[in-house]
Amino acid sequence: MAVPDDYDEVAETYAERLGDELAGKPLDRALLRAFAEQVAAGAPGVVVDVGCGPGHVTAFLAGCGLGVAGLDVSPRMVAVARRREPRLRFSVGSVLDVDAADASWAGAVAFYSLIHLDDTDMRRALAELCRLVRAGGLVLVAVHTEHLEHPGAAVTRVEDLWGHAVELDFRYIPAATLAATAEGAGFEVAAVLEREPHPAVEAPTRRAYVLLRRP
Ligand SMILES: C[S@@+](CC[C@H](N)C(=O)[O-])C[C@H]1O[C@@H](n2cnc3c(N)ncnc32)[C@H](O)[C@@H]1O
């Protein structure tokens, strides 16, 4: 199956399992608040949650006072997000080819949504985000950098996700690799943070958050 089909398959279960996960992730909440504060200090404009899934990060940013929209390649994820957050705007589309004008976004977040892309598509996605964000605009990207039970593995192929048959490759992306790729796509790197998983609520992967600024 392709990535959109796989996320269509798991959309409802994903929302049940992870739709309220920010409650158990204090550092994510703090980072999103800091991101929102910096974006709000600039000119008004939309902040897009790229690969929004069930829309919980979109909703959190809306709660921080930002004008937000969610974008996801999975139609069922978008349907779930619309049902959960009926006052917010969600649309179906891929980060690889977004139907929006250059510099039309105030900012973007991409939490664990670039993790299935190979190197070529990662470069393409970051170039697309750089095209879409206005000068000075920020993009906050979260990725898995390493599986703690399989250190050194570049990818995990998942064929069963919560009882759903899928064929998803979860790629581990070192923070330095992500930062260098983003610089190659035209961004400046504003911040890099790595953290261990919250054992009670997360898969055993180390994570990185990279804050990018379009010059
Ligand atoms: C692991 S989930 C993350 C969802 C949410 N951001 C979160 O933090 O829970 C990955 C999401 O990215 C979406 N996605 C994957 N590839 C994408 C692409 N090329 N463009 C837009 N969304 C994509 C999937 O459909 C899925 O909803």
Side-chain angles (χ1 to χ4, degrees):
M1 281 204 292
V3 166
D5 301 322
D6 284 332
Y7 278 101
D8 277 353
E9 169 66 27
V10 302
E12 295 287 351
T13 309
Y14 194 103
E16 285 164 19
R17 298 266 186 155
L18 300 179
D20 298 317
E21 65 170 352
L22 285 175
K25 296 186 165 199
L27 197 51
D28 288 49
R29 297 198 305 275
L31 287 170
L32 289 166
R33 284 197 191 101
F35 167 83
E37 184 181 329
Q38 290 183 76
V39 173
V46 68
V47 172
V48 178
D49 181 5
V50 172
C52 60
H56 52 302
V57 171
T58 331
F60 186 87
L61 291 173
C64 294
L66 296 181
V68 296
L71 175 75
D72 201 287
V73 76
S74 155
R76 271 198 208 150
M77 276 295 198
V78 168
V80 169
R82 285 178 178 149
R83 190 183 71 222
R84 286 166 48 95
E85 302 293 344
R87 287 174 300 174
L88 301 182
R89 197 156 47 92
F90 296 95
S91 55
V92 179
S94 173
V95 66
L96 297 174
D97 186 13
V98 179
D99 183 15
D102 295 1
S104 57
W105 296 359
V109 298
F111 268 32
Y112 306 104
S113 54
L114 308 183
I115 59 175
H116 304 298
L117 302 176
D118 63 20
D119 293 350
T120 302
D121 278 347
M122 178 63 89
R123 283 194 291 274
R124 199 171 142 199
L126 289 167
E128 185 69 339
L129 292 172
C130 197
R131 175 185 77 77
L132 289 159
V133 172
R134 69 182 175 215
L138 295 174
V139 177
L140 181 60
V141 180
V143 295
H144 305 278
T145 63
E146 187 169 42
H147 198 294
L148 299 180
E149 293 164 5
H150 308 285
V155 59
T156 298
R157 164 61 66 98
V158 173
E159 297 185 339
D160 182 321
L161 191 54
W162 303 310
H164 297 274
V166 296
E167 289 176 359
L168 280 170
D169 286 337
F170 286 77
R171 297 176 187 277
Y172 304 107
I173 308 160
T177 303
L178 177 58
T181 308
E183 286 174 338
F187 283 110
E188 293 171 351
V189 176
V192 177
L193 183 142
E194 291 187 68
R195 72 162 172 84
E196 302 300 315
H198 298 296
V201 295
E202 290 182 327
T205 62
R206 188 166 291 125
R207 290 114 197 282
Y209 301 77
V210 179
L211 182 64
L212 305 169
R213 180 184 294 110
R214 179 176 171 179

